[in-house]
């Protein structure tokens, strides 16, 4: 071997080693949306059953996609959590669990409202939902489902296993073809400690400062967003599109935020509570604040956080949701919120989301609603949506380790029989 070739091999090996060490450092520090893990969290899964919930579109449903990134058989114990509000506005906290098996490098998918039946031919119907290798029976969610899906990698005996072999995506689709997609959040495991006794308690305490079982949840989440009620500049400012119909704020942009507590107790059916604070910075670098409590699961329009009621733009009638005004042909539900155009001014803002004191962490996604008011003989409201995963920084364990009563250790508890 020549000296030059030998040096290239040495430096190449150093580069590979450096990459591995860098990956190990990142993997130990945070949850991820672009690598596989041992726990998958799909923060937003919906099936509205054809009801008009937030807009003029209806029939929203969710396609779940999960892949095994390894060359080994992978088992996962999954939990649907229905956080839809009951008659009093409290989350239902209804949990439905099931188990799936994925052969090496196997992807699978199902529609939340349909679930997936076991079909020995793996070909029903050809090229449509349910085709391909069956992962096992998947139950359908009920009409009106609003919540999350969480899947924990286990071994053949049902013990949590730190293989870091699961990756997933969720596609929320409406009856008119509009789609909105986000990645599942993967919580990576420390293979040396995952499954330690008590095996059914998954401790999210693996950080750069602590040798734990699973990676800790983020300490803070970051959200870049349009100000609530800001008129869509692409439509309203383009004379070839729809500027007349979008006059007077009739093509607003809304941002919906979905948050899920990192801690969950599926063994004792106890939902977690996390109080989060919002620090909102507008285009003029002015800082505003708000707060809310996340119990079990929460999805909310940003303006709803501090202003539950508002008035329709068309007739000033009281309202709580845009759909109330849209259905009556009276525009949209404007609110006097800290997130609104009237308070923040400008068109965009940055929001930092922080759990308080010794509360646990949260995981979330955002979804943007862009309305188009196609005014003809009667109002015709259209909407396009786009979801994205939130940025994150730090971790709850290290951020609270020096606080009195700290550190915070988020825990996912699954039934002991598994």
């Amino acid at each position: 071997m020549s000296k030059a070739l030998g040096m290239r091999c040495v430096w190449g090996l150093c580069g590979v080693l450096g990459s591995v060490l860098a990956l190990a450092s990142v993997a130990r520090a945070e949850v991820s949306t672009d690598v596989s893990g041992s726990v998958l969290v799909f923060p937003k899964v919906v099936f509205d059953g054809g009801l008009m919930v937030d807009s003029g579109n209806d029939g929203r449903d969710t396609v779940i996609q999960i892949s095994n990134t390894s060359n080994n058989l992978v088992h996962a114990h999954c939990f649907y959590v229905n956080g839809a509000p009951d008659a009093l506005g409290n989350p239902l906290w209804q949990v439905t669990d099931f188990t799936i098996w994925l052969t090496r490098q196997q992807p699978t998918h199902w529609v939340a409202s349909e679930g997936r039946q076991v079909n020995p031919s793996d070909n029903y119907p050809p090229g449509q939902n349910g085709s391909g290798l069956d992962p096992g029976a998947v139950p359908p969610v009920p009409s009106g489902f609003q919540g999350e899906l969480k899947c924990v990698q286990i071994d053949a005996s049902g013990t949590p296993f730190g293989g870091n072999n699961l990756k997933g995506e969720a596609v929320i689709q409406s009856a008119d073809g509009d789609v909105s997609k986000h990645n599942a959040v993967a919580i990576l495991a420390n293979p040396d400690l995952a499954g330690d006794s008590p095996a059914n308690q998954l401790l999210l305490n693996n950080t750069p400062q602590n040798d734990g079982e699973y990676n800790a949840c983020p300490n803070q989440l970051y959200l870049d967003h349009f100000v609530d009620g800001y008129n869509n500049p692409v439509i309203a400012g383009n004379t070839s599109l729809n500027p007349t119909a979008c006059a007077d704020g009739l093509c607003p942009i809304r941002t919906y935020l979905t948050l899920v507590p990192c801690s969950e107790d599926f063994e004792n059916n106890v939902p977690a509570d996390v109080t989060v604070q919002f620090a909102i910075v507008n285009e003029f670098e002015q800082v505003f604040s708000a707060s809310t409590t996340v119990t079990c699961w929460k999805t909310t329009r940003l303006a709803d956080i501090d202003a539950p009621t508002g008035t329709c733009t068309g007739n000033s009638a009281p309202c709580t949701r845009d759909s109330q005004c849209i259905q009556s042909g009276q525009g949209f539900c404007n609110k006097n919120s800290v997130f609104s155009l009237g308070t923040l001014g400008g068109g965009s803002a940055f929001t930092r989301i922080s759990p308080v004191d010794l509360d646990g962490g949260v995981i979330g996604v955002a979804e943007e609603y862009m309305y188009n008011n196609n005014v003809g003989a009667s109002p015709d409201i259209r909407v396009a949506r786009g979801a994205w995963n939130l940025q994150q920084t730090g971790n709850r364990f290290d951020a609270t380790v020096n606080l009195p009563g700290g550190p915070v250790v988020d825990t996912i508890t699954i039934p002991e029989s598994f």
Side-chain angles (χ1 to χ4, degrees):
M1 178 183 293
S2 70
K3 183 176 180 180
L5 178 58
M7 290 303 295
R8 282 198 297 270
C9 290
V10 170
W11 286 113
L13 180 59
C14 290
V16 171
L17 180 59
S19 298
V20 170
L21 292 176
L23 179 60
S25 176
V26 171
R28 186 181 173 88
E30 58 190 31
V31 300
S32 176
T33 59
D34 55 9
V35 300
S36 55
S38 293
V39 179
L40 286 185
V41 183
F42 297 83
K44 189 169 187 175
V45 179
V46 298
F47 170 49
D48 62 31
L51 301 175
M52 186 166 74
V53 180
D54 295 308
S55 68
N57 298 55
D58 57 11
R60 297 193 88 195
D61 205 345
T62 308
V63 179
I64 301 296
Q65 301 171 321
I66 297 179
S67 297
N68 171 13
T69 63
S70 76
N71 288 321
N72 301 307
L73 176 66
V74 166
H75 301 74
H77 190 195
C78 298
F79 302 85
Y80 272 128
V81 179
N82 192 351
D86 60 17
L88 299 177
N90 300 314
L92 291 173
W93 179 251
Q94 292 178 342
V95 179
T96 303
D97 67 313
F98 57 95
T99 303
I100 60 174
W101 302 264
L102 299 175
T103 62
R104 60 182 184 176
Q105 301 293 332
Q106 179 190 344
T108 192
H109 81 279
W110 63 85
V111 180
S113 65
E114 300 175 6
R116 182 161 181 152
Q117 299 179 356
V118 174
N119 188 311
S121 69
D122 295 323
N123 194 34
Y124 173 77
Q128 299 182 34
N129 297 320
S131 295
L133 295 174
D134 287 315
V138 177
V141 300
S143 177
F145 182 94
Q146 300 179 55
E148 63 156 329
L149 172 66
K150 184 176 270 91
C151 292
V152 177
Q153 186 172 352
I154 57 176
D155 61 20
S157 70
T159 301
F161 176 68
N164 294 328
N165 303 134
L166 297 174
K167 193 174 186 303
E169 296 83 28
V171 180
I172 305 174
Q173 57 187 15
S174 61
D176 66 357
D178 180 62
V179 296
S180 181
K181 183 174 183 178
H182 68 271
N183 289 347
V185 177
I187 302 176
L188 283 74
N190 179 350
D192 296 330
L193 295 180
D196 276 4
S197 181
N200 70 316
Q201 293 184 6
L202 285 61
L203 304 182
L204 279 57
N205 60 348
N206 192 43
T207 77
Q209 298 183 25
N210 185 67
D211 194 23
E213 295 185 11
Y214 292 80
N215 282 7
C217 274
N219 184 47
Q220 293 180 327
L221 301 175
Y222 291 161
L223 172 64
D224 289 304
H225 58 93
F226 283 103
V227 172
D228 188 87
Y230 185 63
N231 219 23
N232 192 324
V234 175
I235 301 175
N238 192 318
T239 57
S240 65
L241 291 175
N242 202 8
T244 302
C246 288
D248 301 320
L250 289 180
C251 290
I253 298 175
R254 308 287 196 220
T255 301
Y256 281 77
L257 178 66
T258 300
L259 296 174
V260 179
C262 291
S263 292
E264 284 182 299
D265 188 347
F266 296 117
E267 170 69 12
N268 301 297
N269 265 341
V270 179
D273 288 318
V274 179
T275 298
V276 294
Q277 296 176 328
F278 302 88
I280 309 106
V281 184
N282 66 5
E283 293 180 351
F284 311 104
E285 298 186 0
Q286 297 171 309
V287 182
F288 302 82
S289 63
S291 66
T292 191
T293 298
V294 181
T295 301
C296 168
W297 179 89
K298 187 180 188 72
T299 191
T300 179
R301 171 181 158 188
L302 288 181
D304 288 343
I305 291 172
D306 66 322
T309 61
T311 57
C312 292
T313 55
N315 59 3
S316 298
C319 58
T320 59
R321 309 178 67 91
D322 280 323
S323 57
Q324 295 171 312
C325 304
I326 293 172
Q327 287 175 316
S328 61
Q330 296 299 327
F332 297 87
C333 188
N334 279 355
K335 299 189 175 185
N336 185 21
S337 162
V338 70
F339 293 94
S340 69
L341 185 61
T343 300
L344 295 178
S348 61
F350 168 78
T351 296
R352 183 171 58 249
I353 305 166
S354 308
V356 302
D357 299 332
L358 294 178
D359 278 11
V362 290
I363 291 174
V365 298
E367 193 172 22
E368 197 168 77
Y369 287 51
M370 291 193 171
Y371 289 95
N372 184 5
N373 179 31
N374 293 313
V375 177
S378 61
D380 182 13
I381 305 298
R382 308 289 177 86
V383 64
R385 306 176 185 86
W388 69 95
N389 296 90
L390 303 180
Q391 298 178 20
Q392 60 190 34
T393 183
N395 69 79
R396 289 301 287 159
F397 186 95
D398 289 348
T400 58
V401 69
N402 293 321
L403 294 179
V408 169
V409 179
D410 284 299
T411 304
I412 301 172
T413 305
I414 63 177
E416 288 189 6
S417 58
F418 288 85

